[in-house]
Amino acid sequence: MPDRRACERCGTVLKGYAAGRLCPTCLLREGLTPDPRGDETDAMSAGSSPHVKASFADYELLEEIARGGMGVVYKARQKSLNRIVALKMILAGQLATKTQVERFRVEAEAVANLQHPNIVAIHDIGETDGQHYFSMDYVEGRNLTKVISDFRFQISDFRRAAGYVKGIAEAIHYAHQQGIIHRDLKPSNILIDANDRPRITDFGLAKRLENAERRTDRDWPGGGLAELPPAGTSRRPAGRSAKRPLLARGHPLSSADGPPPIPVGIADDAFEAGGGS
Amino acid sequence: MAPSGKESENSETQRGVFATTHWSVVLAAGDSVSPPAAEALENLCRTYWQPLYVYVRRRGYGLEEAQDLTQSFFALFLQKKSFSLANPARGRFRTFLLKSLQHFLTDDWKRDHRLKRGGGQVEIPWDIHTADDHYASELAETMTPERAYEERWAMTLLEQVLCLLRADYAKAGKTQLFEALQDFLWGTDGPASYAQIADGLGMTEGAIRVAVHRLREHYRERLRAEVAHTVSNPNEVDDELRYLIQVISGAR
């Protein structure tokens, strides 16, 4: 049975091969040329951000793992519980506008109500010194864009893809049942964890269904144009908005270069067999 | 102030670290057949055969077939003086070696060349049990062959560096000191305190602190030199390290 301990310093999962207490990630980092600014941390670490300190609230920031138009996500260690989490903050920090803060909290509250194995769960929501943040599961793995790029379009790849679609569709269906519409479902917002399970993240454009029903006849439905399902490209009446992501459920896998991700027959077989999820 | 990347590059070149690295020697040979290039390539292959074996296993071959294929690949790779195919545009040794193996594993190459090995060629010394233990213990069932190759590559690199470091200390008659201090390599406290180690080795705590500092310095030099063996340009050492960090930490 492989050892699944995590490094106390950086959170890297130490598998059976890690000799003694030595963490391979930390060992490799020791070889990097020191930052010319004199920081102890390297270019990937939290010290490179102008808006945060290496230690924030109950969290020790380890490295930046994602950055979008509004938010930045760090791999962090929650000191009180000694666990590795993903910590999301507003990019503008204390300079964030009221609208940015409101959208940030909508995202946090939307996900906080979702408990599903294929959705990245939120642990904590808070504010420290005007900096809003929430912590969530740290998913050890890659996003779907990168996973697909390794596909060789063999039978095993098709089966895996079918399993991903199944998990994603179930999660989106569940979210809709809870009244949450993601509105930005795309490969880079789907993380594939160490157990090859898809985990939906980044609900930054999400809306509660009751809000969408009131407003989506005027609002842009959100997300990139390339990721929109057919129904999302037209200004549909409010009541149909919840169907859009379901229509698009196969789409995150269709955006990779190459042949269609799942030949129909194989997809059917996989679903009937449980989809490998 | 810490050195900039350019200063670091110059100092490494001046120290001769980069001038004699294996992959740069291979690349410098170009199409000509030179004994130093052949020797350098063989040294690289002897160090990094495990990632290739893991890749072949991950492609679905059984233990014996994977062993045979990997050995056949190296024999053919070295026999064909494959360095003549290498040029700086082909990038790092890590990627060149994998692409060469992938080419080898195509059906045509297997059919044409697989049985031609043997007869005075270089045999890579096998520790097949260790390699297969790595194959079994490190890899998630769903890990792609390419990802498995890169993870094992990073681990092989570190194992090589630690092996060289241990040998350096052994040569200086300081094996016991190395054993006591190796847990401090990555910068945080080990299971025992400096004072406990000092007591055990009959040294002062201050002397242990100095020894840890020197160990880390020496380790860093060894690591950068080993990475330099596999890249074509000194500018690439930090980039290669960052890439391998991402591989190991799961960001890739």
Side-chain angles (χ1 to χ4, degrees), chain A residues 227-240:
Chain A
E227 280 77 31
L228 280 177
T233 56
S234 63
R235 307 290 174 96
R236 294 299 180 103
R240 300 187 184 182

Side-chain angles (χ1 to χ4, degrees), chain B residues 176-177 180-181 184 192-216:
Chain B
Q176 195 181 2
L177 182 66
L181 300 185
F184 290 92
S193 68
Y194 285 167
Q196 287 171 318
I197 292 172
D199 196 40
L201 295 177
M203 297 168 67
T204 66
E205 191 175 335
I208 291 294
R209 288 186 188 281
V210 171
V212 169
H213 176 72
R214 286 179 180 158
L215 174 67
R216 288 176 185 161

Side-chain angles (χ1 to χ4, degrees), chain B residues 143-163:
Chain B
M143 188 181 282
T144 65
E146 289 78 11
R147 175 79 194 280
Y149 171 84
E150 290 182 330
E151 262 204 20
R152 179 94 295 268
W153 182 281
M155 294 308 299
T156 301
L157 168 78
L158 288 174
E159 287 161 6
Q160 173 74 355
V161 171
L162 292 174
C163 184

